[in-house]
Amino acid sequence: MKQQIIVSGIGGQGVLFLTRVIAQVAVNQGIPVLTSETHGMAQRGGTVLSTIKIGDFASPLIRTGQADLGLLLWEENFPVHQSILQENGTWIINSPHNSDHISIDAAKIARNLGNAVLLNLVLLGTALKQGALIFTAEECETAIKQLAPKKFVEQNLTAFHKGLNS
Amino acid sequence: MKNKIQLLMGNEAIGQGLIEAGCQVAAAYPGTPSTEILQAVIDRREKAAEPLHLEWSVNEKIAFEVALAASYTGKRSVAVMKQVGLNVAADPFMRTAYIGVKGGMLTIVADDPGPHSSQNEQDTRLFCLQARVPVIDPASPAEAKELIRPAFELSEKYETNIVLRPTTRICHSRQNVSIAKPITLERQANFELDTPRWSATPAFLPALHKKLNANLEKISFEPDWQPRLTSGDNSQPRTALVASGIVYSNLVDLLEELNLNNKIDLYQVLMPYPLNPDFSKNLHEKYDRILILEETYPVIELQLAHPGAVGKQNGAVPREGELTPDVTHQALAAFLDLAPPEEKPEERRGQRPSLCPGCSHRSAFYSIKKCFPKGIYPSDIGCYTLGMNLGAVHTVHCMGACISQGAGFYQAYQQDAGDFPTIVVTIGDSTFFHAGIPALINAVIQQARIIVVILDNATTAMTGGQPVPHMGIAAGNVPTKAVAIEPLVKAAGVEFLEVCNPYENDKFEDLLKNADEYIRSPQGGVAVLIARHGCIMDPAVRKVQDSFLVTIKDNCIACLICVDKFECPALSMDKDKNLAVVNQDRCIGCGTCIPVCPVDAIIKEEK
Ligand code: SF4
Ligand code: SF4
């Protein structure tokens, strides 16, 4: 079982947390996982990209045209990271507009929940609903509970379910 | 321990490895991509089997020297820094090669090929070759952790400092890593006098140098640190691949994807310096062609000097930037005559980073630029480098350089007859402590007439908020003595010193003008303004700060001043309406954009 995923957004949007949740699910299942993340200057509102490789890999980095799934938190990054996905790869995009890809106004849903940052988990929920991940919703919930600060667990799970039931 | 397997970032894995290996003194100065290493040790300090001293030192030289002396007492110690931090620590680092250590000492230096968050992409392995210090190049977070304990043992066996060189892709990758119990060494500090060694004068150095060379040779033969061979099936006779660090991992995945694994001899070099001469000889005899992949400089390649080498020296492998899986693919395809990878579409640039919404640096830069539109603005390393976006940063060089560069600009201009431009230097509080103080003293005694603005946000913001000396807090939130900035500035001989919150832009601009008058007055010299406002990323700062609902009225004339010149990322143009708009998801309601609008279109209401 192998899957290569990218998470693309801008600093401050919760790309790192989403990356960790997905990787934690793999660890909980006993599956090897590698991620790479953007830290440093770019985190100040610049474009950031995480890669996640689930299964037997040595390197965390993904070659052009190899990723199976792209979670796009910042729509404007599409042309920047488009080429990392395989031609028949799946994009899940946070966007108020319709496109050829699966898009959902995750930002709006998150805003209605009171915090724009929650869009990351709305998007994760949508990805699960679309069957785009090799994990189950329960497995993701466990990881969210493990990683979210205690007082935000409920809010995070609500966001996740909003995406799941969107 | 609950979980034997944990998902850890490379830097966390290294921190965990240090605790498991019985390291008792760890000193660091923060810098991307190395910062989270000491943070990880701090977070796990309760797990340590024995007492542990942790410190965010004032700079890397100090961190190195603290760790060094601790090692003289027989304890295990580590100094942690980013690659350019090693330049700051170069002096003690170079001498340590000759003098050696007692307890195991590691220097962890994180390189940044790319570079992603650095002022250059220098290769610490080459630095080690010149310093004659063994260096280890791990290929994954898990491997970086695994190698720490044996590295301490190697350090103790030869009484030598050992460098562990992770790169950004190791530091900031996460992996499932197995956790072990920390060992107990039961060492009491015991500094054994050996003055000819610890204080070695030139008379003693030839012997020490000789010993160093002998040790390096022995280390190169250490069985546990030899290049690791994965044999091929001889379908590619007399051909081999040699790689180290993360590039080795990229290569492993690539070979698998291309169905070439176990088809060609593949060597992973764990310790790029010193290389075993027999390894080199073996490569010369067994192979006609070898492809060498390493980041960033050709360190292995130079040592091997193989006539059939394909690598950076003959230009087959790019000499700059990361050797990403794509770049690795191209090099491998060319080397093995495979179908070349599909042309990669031209790289598009994403969103550029900018100062956070509500950052007080933005207000300070806006005022500086407004007061001195023709000024020269030397700046420095930190979040405030992003003042570039506002046109208020003209030079960025290395930690602390801005004050001396400001002084240098002044000296060059003042010797010409006539006026000199107003030179406004901006330096962060952490950078000021790191390397700004000697530069300030120098500017004062050389009678430079410059304005130094210390952007004091009470933290090392760029790297995620490490403590700074004037806050009275040490690593792990431990209270300590505070060393205030003002008395230091005064003691440096500065006679114009003012403190102001840059959010109060009128007051700040008045002070800037006063400072300019001062530096141009007969008795003038260096003027220092401390622009003080907490970092907006600190939740405690947000909590006490007023927050408004900020919106833009229809009388906006679309002059773009707030969007482009002030550059708050929460502001943008609504192209359809031709009005500026506030993105309420990103706006923190600081209200600092209000005074920049020439027609008062930006308004605030109480939330
Ligand atoms: S109030 Fe103005 S300056 Fe402050 S965050 Fe909002 S848009 Fe930016
Ligand atoms: S500064 Fe004022 S007038 Fe100019 S674009 Fe911004 S809101 Fe509109």
Side-chain angles (χ1 to χ4, degrees):
Chain A
M1 195 160 41
K2 281 189 173 189
Q3 191 169 30
Q4 306 194 49
I5 305 168
I6 65 166
V7 185
S8 159
I10 61 169
Q13 271 194 313
V15 167
L16 290 183
F17 184 71
L18 179 51
T19 306
R20 275 178 68 202
V21 168
I22 297 172
Q24 185 67 48
V25 181
V27 170
N28 291 349
Q29 308 307 307
I31 306 171
V33 65
L34 280 155
T35 75
S36 78
E37 303 166 358
T38 314
H39 291 249
M41 188 69 98
Q43 276 179 299
R44 299 283 170 267
T47 288
V48 295
L49 174 74
S50 286
T51 61
I52 308 167
K53 285 164 85 173
I54 300 165
D56 215 1
F57 290 103
S59 161
L61 298 177
I62 302 179
R63 219 152 37 89
T64 300
Q66 297 294 310
D68 309 294
L69 171 64
L71 302 174
L72 194 63
L73 279 66
W74 185 253
E75 203 183 357
E76 288 84 340
N77 281 356
F78 184 75
V80 185
H81 295 141
Q82 184 182 19
S83 65
I84 309 174
L85 243 64
Q86 319 178 359
E87 255 169 57
N88 53 0
T90 309
W91 280 105
I92 314 266
I93 304 178
N94 164 37
S95 164
H97 318 107
N98 285 324
S99 72
D100 304 344
H101 304 283
I102 302 162
S103 47
I104 172 166
D105 197 345
K108 188 168 160 197
I109 295 173
R111 219 174 291 133
N112 291 341
L113 290 174
N115 190 350
V117 174
L118 292 168
L119 81 86
N120 56 0
L121 293 178
V122 176
L123 216 59
L124 179 66
T126 310
L128 259 108
K129 178 187 163 204
Q130 298 290 341
L133 273 159
I134 54 177
F135 302 126
T136 67
E138 292 70 43
E139 288 161 358
C140 292
E141 280 167 18
T142 310
I144 293 170
K145 285 184 202 151
Q146 265 170 293
L147 296 177
K150 252 214 178 82
K151 58 176 180 180
F152 295 122
V153 168
E154 275 314 308
Q155 214 186 21
N156 279 340
L157 288 175
T158 311
F160 176 65
H161 289 133
K162 285 275 179 207
L164 199 59
N165 303 318
S166 57
Chain B
M1 200 143 307
K2 253 195 350 257
N3 301 324
K4 291 298 254 185
I5 304 280
Q6 283 181 9
L7 175 69
L8 294 184
M9 198 201 286
N11 282 346
E12 296 169 338
I14 292 170
Q16 172 69 28
L18 288 167
I19 295 223
E20 288 177 12
C23 178
Q24 286 195 271
V25 172
Y29 184 80
T32 311
S34 72
T35 312
E36 299 85 359
I37 296 175
L38 187 71
Q39 193 55 51
V41 183
I42 294 170
D43 295 343
R44 290 163 176 74
R45 63 190 183 280
E46 305 296 333
K47 304 247 159 58
E50 289 170 298
L52 184 55
H53 170 76
L54 301 168
E55 66 172 63
W56 289 116
S57 308
V58 169
N59 67 34
E60 295 86 351
K61 177 179 186 303
I62 294 168
F64 185 89
E65 291 155 351
V66 167
L68 179 66
S71 138
Y72 285 4
T73 72
K75 296 195 174 182
R76 289 190 172 174
S77 69
V78 68
V80 185
M81 60 201 72
K82 69 179 294 180
Q83 90 281 35
V84 290
L86 186 59
N87 302 341
V88 177
D91 213 352
F93 178 77
M94 301 289 282
R95 177 157 160 101
T96 300
Y98 287 63
I99 311 288
V101 304
K102 267 286 174 187
M105 175 170 174
L106 302 188
T107 306
I108 302 180
V109 187
D111 280 359
D112 188 21
H116 296 273
S117 220
S118 301
Q119 66 260 41
N120 69 27
E121 40 179 356
Q122 72 186 58
D123 187 333
T124 295
R125 303 171 315 146
L126 189 64
F127 205 128
C128 289
L129 188 135
Q130 110 108 339
R132 312 189 69 72
V133 176
V135 55
I136 300 163
D137 196 4
S140 70
E143 186 172 78
K145 174 175 176 288
E146 262 161 45
L147 293 175
I148 286 176
R149 199 165 146 186
F152 272 121
E153 285 159 8
L154 186 68
S155 166
E156 280 165 4
K157 180 167 175 190
Y158 292 95
E159 298 196 346
T160 184
N161 175 32
I162 304 276
V163 170
L164 178 76
R165 194 278 310 229
T167 53
T168 304
R169 299 304 189 177
I170 303 287
C171 295
H172 292 157
S173 286
R174 281 175 209 276
Q175 188 176 20
N176 43 308
V177 173
S178 53
I179 308 293
K181 214 171 135 228
I183 56 167
T184 307
L185 295 167
E186 287 176 5
R187 294 184 185 173
Q188 296 294 313
N190 178 24
F191 173 52
E192 286 172 29
L193 296 188
D194 186 354
T195 310
R197 181 174 174 197
W198 306 128
S199 310
T201 51
F204 296 99
L205 284 163
L208 289 168
H209 193 177
K210 198 166 180 179
K211 189 167 166 218
L212 164 64
N213 287 332
N215 274 345
L216 284 169
E217 185 164 339
K218 285 187 210 145
I219 291 172
S220 77
F221 287 105
E222 276 290 326
D224 291 346
W225 300 93
Q226 296 306 310
R228 295 171 177 169
L229 168 66
T230 311
S231 294
D233 61 3
N234 223 7
S235 58
Q236 300 274 352
R238 299 195 62 77
T239 309
L241 308 172
V242 177
S244 84
I246 191 72
V247 202
Y248 170 77
S249 298
N250 294 343
L251 191 57
V252 168
D253 279 355
L254 183 67
L255 291 171
E256 162 122 18
E257 279 163 23
L258 300 175
N259 283 321
L260 286 171
N261 45 340
N262 302 102
K263 295 255 185 295
I264 180 163
D265 285 3
L266 167 65
Y267 291 90
Q268 179 195 5
V269 178
L270 267 188
M271 188 189 286
Y273 177 80
L275 267 192
N276 183 341
D278 288 351
F279 170 62
S280 181
K281 212 168 120 213
N282 178 36
L283 291 188
H284 280 252
E285 284 167 7
K286 267 178 79 178
Y287 306 102
D288 298 327
R289 296 177 70 233
I290 56 172
L291 174 66
I292 306 172
L293 294 164
E294 55 187 322
E295 282 176 344
T296 312
Y297 298 158
V299 175
I300 299 170
E301 205 178 319
L302 280 166
Q303 291 176 85
L304 289 179
H306 191 288
V310 172
K312 294 186 182 243
Q313 294 200 90
N314 70 355
V317 176
R319 296 188 178 103
E320 52 286 305
E322 269 190 284
L323 299 187
T324 60
D326 285 321
V327 176
T328 309
H329 189 190
Q330 260 162 10
L332 185 77
F335 180 70
L336 294 180
D337 243 337
L338 311 172
E342 255 179 64
E343 196 75 38
K344 210 186 150 192
E346 211 184 309
E347 204 138 312
R348 297 273 292 264
R349 284 185 72 122
Q351 185 86 20
R352 73 175 179 185
S354 44
L355 294 164
C356 297
C359 175
S360 59
H361 297 337
R362 174 175 290 106
S363 302
F365 283 126
Y366 188 82
S367 292
I368 291 168
K369 179 105 193 176
K370 186 173 154 199
C371 290
F372 312 111
K374 297 216 159 79
I376 295 179
Y377 311 131
S379 190
D380 224 293
I381 312 278
C383 285
Y384 53 97
T385 302
L386 293 167
M388 238 184 254
N389 297 357
L390 285 92
V393 166
H394 291 160
T395 66
V396 176
H397 208 81
C398 61
M399 294 289 286
C402 61
I403 299 181
S404 350
Q405 285 186 306
F409 278 123
Y410 171 75
Q411 304 301 359
Y413 274 96
Q414 65 85 23
Q415 41 184 231
D416 303 345
D419 208 8
F420 62 91
T422 299
I423 296 158
V424 188
V425 166
T426 44
I427 183 165
D429 46 345
S430 187
T431 311
F432 177 70
F433 281 102
H434 177 285
I437 296 168
L440 182 64
I441 295 172
N442 187 70
V444 169
I445 60 170
Q446 299 304 332
Q447 304 185 42
R449 293 166 179 265
I450 59 173
I451 302 173
V452 175
V453 178
I454 301 175
L455 299 166
D456 176 12
N457 61 1
T459 189
T460 317
M462 175 87 268
T463 47
Q466 290 69 37
V468 273
H470 56 305
M471 299 314 290
I473 300 162
N477 270 328
V478 180
T480 183
K481 258 183 128 75
V483 178
I485 298 176
E486 289 90 325
L488 278 171
V489 170
K490 285 192 189 137
V494 173
E495 283 165 5
F496 182 107
L497 172 64
E498 296 285 351
V499 184
C500 178
N501 176 356
Y503 267 31
E504 296 170 29
N505 58 307
D506 288 339
K507 192 172 155 207
F508 186 60
E509 286 162 25
D510 283 344
L511 288 174
L512 281 169
K513 286 174 202 151
N514 293 349
D516 193 40
E517 273 164 35
Y518 169 75
I519 63 169
R520 292 170 189 284
S521 67
Q523 299 308 315
V526 178
V528 173
L529 271 179
I530 301 177
R532 183 165 283 155
H533 188 110
C535 170
I536 216 73
M537 293 287 270
D538 179 348
V541 171
R542 288 282 295 278
K543 221 170 163 178
V544 298
Q545 177 170 321
D546 290 335
S547 173
F548 309 97
L549 175 64
V550 174
T551 51
I552 298 182
K553 291 189 299 180
D554 292 353
N555 66 323
C556 161
I557 53 170
C559 66
L560 289 175
I561 290 176
C562 62
V563 175
D564 284 352
K565 296 227 164 76
F566 191 65
E567 207 242 358
C568 174
L571 294 166
S572 62
M573 280 312 284
D574 181 329
K575 292 212 180 75
D576 301 332
K577 295 197 188 127
N578 204 29
L579 293 174
V581 283
V582 180
N583 177 344
Q584 298 298 346
D585 287 350
R586 302 186 75 189
C587 174
I588 67 147
C590 67
T592 56
C593 54
I594 293 170
V596 312
C597 175
V599 296
D600 298 327
I602 311 180
I603 54 162
K604 66 178 181 189
E605 298 156 48
E606 295 295 332
K607 261 194 187 162

